[in-house]
Amino acid sequence: PELPLLPASIEATALLNHPAVRAAQHDAEAAWADIGVAKAERLPKLDLSALLSGQWIHAAGSTIDFASWSLGATISAVLFDAGRGAAQVEVSEARYRMALASLQGALRTAVQEAQDALAAQHSAKERHEAATSAVMAGQASLAAQEALWRSGSTSLLELEDARRQVLTAQINNITAKRDRVVAWITLHRVLGISPN
């Protein structure tokens, strides 16, 4: 059967679906979030606490239920941390820059792998077409050699040589078909798409 068509924007598909790119993207997002956490750690903290209690008051022989509550807030901040908070922010920013560099490397690798797989598929397709032409030419040559052998114009050795050439062309054709399918599977694996 004929191989299905590939998406038109192969590099974009590779960037979206390549596992290494996805992992690097998640690492960069996590590093970005760490910067926010490091910056938030330097801010003062406000703690709200509430106390809700029920009190029973007995007035004139009846029980009346009153709920009383109180609300309190505390603010805490570090007055002097000897540059620890700023250093944490700088470390987080450095981790983010490293994650971005890793993401860029993963993007380059994914695009290169997709281009290599596409080139391998194109090459296998051309070899398959050439091998198919060689098989047809070899079969025509074999038919001519058989006609010459029947008429006594050629030797049995030349006829068998023509058969060997046809068999070699058929083996090359089968190998090229296999290479084409392998290249197609490799391309889909690199792109991260399922070959439904």
Side-chain angles (χ1 to χ4, degrees):
E2 198 61 30
L3 296 175
L5 296 174
L6 293 170
S9 58
I10 288 179
E11 286 82 7
T13 305
L15 297 181
L16 291 175
N17 296 318
H18 198 278
V21 172
R22 284 187 176 183
Q25 180 181 1
H26 292 309
D27 290 346
E29 290 169 353
W32 178 257
D34 287 344
I35 293 172
V37 169
K39 286 180 179 178
E41 286 293 321
R42 299 184 69 200
L43 299 174
K45 293 173 183 58
L46 175 66
D47 291 329
L48 293 176
S49 60
L51 177 64
L52 179 63
S53 63
Q55 297 196 357
W56 299 92
I57 297 177
H58 298 282
S62 68
T63 304
I64 302 173
D65 185 17
F66 289 100
S68 66
W69 57 275
S70 64
L71 179 66
T74 58
I75 295 177
S76 62
V78 177
L79 296 178
F80 180 71
D81 67 354
R84 182 180 164 274
Q88 285 293 87
V89 171
E90 288 178 14
V91 166
S92 297
E93 289 173 347
R95 283 190 197 132
Y96 177 66
R97 286 191 298 272
M98 285 176 37
L100 278 182
S102 177
L103 177 59
Q104 289 171 345
L107 289 171
R108 281 192 294 274
T109 301
V111 170
Q112 184 64 46
E113 286 178 358
Q115 289 174 344
D116 290 347
L118 187 61
Q121 186 188 35
H122 182 69
S123 172
K125 180 183 178 200
E126 287 181 350
R127 284 195 323 269
H128 176 254
E129 290 170 355
T132 301
S133 298
V135 167
M136 292 182 352
Q139 288 173 339
S141 174
L142 177 61
Q145 285 292 334
E146 285 175 343
L148 288 173
W149 181 73
R150 277 192 227 104
S151 68
S153 300
T154 189
S155 70
L156 184 59
L157 181 63
E158 290 175 348
L159 177 64
E160 291 305 318
D161 187 48
R163 280 194 182 127
R164 182 189 56 77
Q165 289 176 357
V166 168
L167 288 174
T168 301
Q170 288 173 340
I171 289 170
N172 290 340
N173 190 22
I174 291 168
T175 302
K177 279 183 188 177
R178 184 206 60 197
D179 291 347
R180 188 172 176 201
V181 170
V182 167
W184 181 80
I185 291 169
T186 300
L187 181 61
H188 277 74
R189 181 189 53 79
V190 165
L191 295 178
I193 53 178
S194 63
N196 295 336

